[in-house]
Amino acid sequence: MMTDRQHPLVTDFLARLQNEAAVRLPADQAVELVADLREHLRESIATDATESDVRNAVDRVGTPTDLVDDAVGSVVAHGGSAAANPGNRRETAALAMLVLSVIIAIAVPVAGLLLVVGLILVFMSPRWRRSDKALASVVYTVLGMPAVVIVGIFAPMTARGTACTGMITRAEAPSSAQVCTSTGSGVPGWLLILAALAYLAVHTCTATRLYRRARVTVPT
């Protein structure tokens, strides 16, 4: 794919977008908007694109002013949050379903439905890049509701315990003994805590990234 360094039209467009975004957006959101548009143009413009192809690709994404307006217009005009922007309701709904599918994983049918619908909305979204969609798929299908259900099934089997057979009476006490065996693997408590923290960190980072990506308009 052609990069912005390879064509002056793309370089000029991104420079103007960066200047516009730096004035009107928070620094992190401005950087994210420029990065998203740079990636979008890289994927849209082939290496053998003509001057006309490049110009058309740049024109299709809109002007820098329009793009920045889309990123902050809802907040400025309505005093609401970016997540309330009607333009990204699908992304907000998808993320809410995926997070809820993990939270209510104990209700397998409902959580499973939320997971499936949420992933469908993720793949229908024009705002999330392919890397974002792949991340959501891996995290929420491997470490999401299915993982919670599997852990819930097998966790009792790993608990360390002792099972004894036979009974001892007062008369038998000197000569009789119970047969006791250890059950379960006895996963250390610190390991469970570490795994839980890692699990929480992965989901927090993933949800935060998807939320931030949904706030930026990337034309299709």
mmCIF file of all heavy atoms in Angstrom, residues 66-83:
data_model
loop_
_atom_site.group_PDB
_atom_site.id
_atom_site.type_symbol
_atom_site.label_atom_id
_atom_site.label_comp_id
_atom_site.label_asym_id
_atom_site.label_seq_id
_atom_site.Cartn_x
_atom_site.Cartn_y
_atom_site.Cartn_z
ATOM 1 N N ASP A 66 -14.215 19.110 8.193
ATOM 2 C CA ASP A 66 -15.383 18.236 8.345
ATOM 3 C C ASP A 66 -15.075 17.059 9.274
ATOM 4 O O ASP A 66 -15.922 16.661 10.089
ATOM 5 C CB ASP A 66 -15.836 17.706 6.983
ATOM 6 C CG ASP A 66 -16.465 18.789 6.127
ATOM 7 O OD1 ASP A 66 -16.898 19.813 6.695
ATOM 8 O OD2 ASP A 66 -16.505 18.623 4.889
ATOM 9 N N LEU A 67 -13.896 16.495 9.138
ATOM 10 C CA LEU A 67 -13.528 15.348 9.970
ATOM 11 C C LEU A 67 -13.437 15.736 11.445
ATOM 12 O O LEU A 67 -13.880 14.999 12.328
ATOM 13 C CB LEU A 67 -12.196 14.757 9.486
ATOM 14 C CG LEU A 67 -12.258 14.064 8.128
ATOM 15 C CD1 LEU A 67 -10.856 13.792 7.602
ATOM 16 C CD2 LEU A 67 -13.043 12.766 8.225
ATOM 17 N N VAL A 68 -12.853 16.888 11.711
ATOM 18 C CA VAL A 68 -12.758 17.342 13.097
ATOM 19 C C VAL A 68 -14.145 17.703 13.622
ATOM 20 O O VAL A 68 -14.471 17.434 14.783
ATOM 21 C CB VAL A 68 -11.793 18.542 13.208
ATOM 22 C CG1 VAL A 68 -11.786 19.086 14.640
ATOM 23 C CG2 VAL A 68 -10.383 18.129 12.805
ATOM 24 N N ASP A 69 -14.982 18.279 12.770
ATOM 25 C CA ASP A 69 -16.363 18.567 13.173
ATOM 26 C C ASP A 69 -17.084 17.285 13.593
ATOM 27 O O ASP A 69 -17.820 17.261 14.581
ATOM 28 C CB ASP A 69 -17.130 19.223 12.020
ATOM 29 C CG ASP A 69 -16.757 20.684 11.834
ATOM 30 O OD1 ASP A 69 -16.170 21.270 12.762
ATOM 31 O OD2 ASP A 69 -17.053 21.225 10.748
ATOM 32 N N ASP A 70 -16.881 16.211 12.823
ATOM 33 C CA ASP A 70 -17.522 14.940 13.146
ATOM 34 C C ASP A 70 -17.027 14.388 14.480
ATOM 35 O O ASP A 70 -17.781 13.746 15.208
ATOM 36 C CB ASP A 70 -17.241 13.908 12.047
ATOM 37 C CG ASP A 70 -18.017 14.206 10.775
ATOM 38 O OD1 ASP A 70 -19.038 14.914 10.870
ATOM 39 O OD2 ASP A 70 -17.592 13.749 9.703
ATOM 40 N N ALA A 71 -15.758 14.660 14.792
ATOM 41 C CA ALA A 71 -15.181 14.119 16.018
ATOM 42 C C ALA A 71 -15.663 14.848 17.262
ATOM 43 O O ALA A 71 -15.820 14.256 18.324
ATOM 44 C CB ALA A 71 -13.656 14.175 15.943
ATOM 45 N N VAL A 72 -15.912 16.143 17.151
ATOM 46 C CA VAL A 72 -16.268 16.926 18.336
ATOM 47 C C VAL A 72 -17.624 17.611 18.236
ATOM 48 O O VAL A 72 -18.067 18.238 19.194
ATOM 49 C CB VAL A 72 -15.193 17.998 18.619
ATOM 50 C CG1 VAL A 72 -13.855 17.357 18.875
ATOM 51 C CG2 VAL A 72 -15.104 18.998 17.480
ATOM 52 N N GLY A 73 -18.280 17.521 17.092
ATOM 53 C CA GLY A 73 -19.523 18.268 16.894
ATOM 54 C C GLY A 73 -20.596 17.979 17.912
ATOM 55 O O GLY A 73 -21.290 18.878 18.373
ATOM 56 N N SER A 74 -20.748 16.700 18.267
ATOM 57 C CA SER A 74 -21.804 16.333 19.206
ATOM 58 C C SER A 74 -21.564 16.936 20.578
ATOM 59 O O SER A 74 -22.465 17.421 21.240
ATOM 60 C CB SER A 74 -21.903 14.809 19.309
ATOM 61 O OG SER A 74 -22.883 14.453 20.238
ATOM 62 N N VAL A 75 -20.309 16.929 21.014
ATOM 63 C CA VAL A 75 -19.983 17.463 22.341
ATOM 64 C C VAL A 75 -20.207 18.963 22.375
ATOM 65 O O VAL A 75 -20.766 19.510 23.330
ATOM 66 C CB VAL A 75 -18.516 17.137 22.693
ATOM 67 C CG1 VAL A 75 -18.153 17.726 24.048
ATOM 68 C CG2 VAL A 75 -18.306 15.643 22.691
ATOM 69 N N VAL A 76 -19.766 19.643 21.312
ATOM 70 C CA VAL A 76 -19.895 21.105 21.277
ATOM 71 C C VAL A 76 -21.348 21.537 21.145
ATOM 72 O O VAL A 76 -21.815 22.444 21.826
ATOM 73 C CB VAL A 76 -19.068 21.671 20.099
ATOM 74 C CG1 VAL A 76 -19.292 23.165 19.948
ATOM 75 C CG2 VAL A 76 -17.596 21.370 20.314
ATOM 76 N N ALA A 77 -22.096 20.867 20.277
ATOM 77 C CA ALA A 77 -23.465 21.289 19.978
ATOM 78 C C ALA A 77 -24.462 20.893 21.047
ATOM 79 O O ALA A 77 -25.391 21.627 21.347
ATOM 80 C CB ALA A 77 -23.897 20.708 18.627
ATOM 81 N N HIS A 78 -24.275 19.703 21.625
ATOM 82 C CA HIS A 78 -25.285 19.184 22.542
ATOM 83 C C HIS A 78 -24.817 19.078 23.986
ATOM 84 O O HIS A 78 -25.603 18.762 24.865
ATOM 85 C CB HIS A 78 -25.732 17.794 22.068
ATOM 86 C CG HIS A 78 -26.195 17.787 20.644
ATOM 87 N ND1 HIS A 78 -27.322 18.445 20.218
ATOM 88 C CD2 HIS A 78 -25.664 17.204 19.531
ATOM 89 C CE1 HIS A 78 -27.481 18.271 18.904
ATOM 90 N NE2 HIS A 78 -26.482 17.521 18.469
ATOM 91 N N GLY A 79 -23.561 19.345 24.228
ATOM 92 C CA GLY A 79 -23.053 19.264 25.594
ATOM 93 C C GLY A 79 -23.022 17.862 26.127
ATOM 94 O O GLY A 79 -22.943 17.648 27.329
ATOM 95 N N GLY A 80 -23.096 16.857 25.247
ATOM 96 C CA GLY A 80 -23.068 15.463 25.682
ATOM 97 C C GLY A 80 -21.696 14.865 25.499
ATOM 98 O O GLY A 80 -20.745 15.535 25.110
ATOM 99 N N SER A 81 -21.602 13.569 25.775
ATOM 100 C CA SER A 81 -20.344 12.868 25.592
ATOM 101 C C SER A 81 -20.265 12.345 24.176
ATOM 102 O O SER A 81 -21.264 12.199 23.492
ATOM 103 C CB SER A 81 -20.243 11.696 26.577
ATOM 104 O OG SER A 81 -21.239 10.739 26.291
ATOM 105 N N ALA A 82 -19.042 12.018 23.751
ATOM 106 C CA ALA A 82 -18.866 11.508 22.398
ATOM 107 C C ALA A 82 -19.583 10.194 22.202
ATOM 108 O O ALA A 82 -20.015 9.868 21.115
ATOM 109 C CB ALA A 82 -17.375 11.329 22.112
ATOM 110 N N ALA A 83 -19.721 9.408 23.273
ATOM 111 C CA ALA A 83 -20.379 8.115 23.147
ATOM 112 C C ALA A 83 -21.850 8.262 22.818
ATOM 113 O O ALA A 83 -22.489 7.338 22.347
ATOM 114 C CB ALA A 83 -20.212 7.316 24.434
#
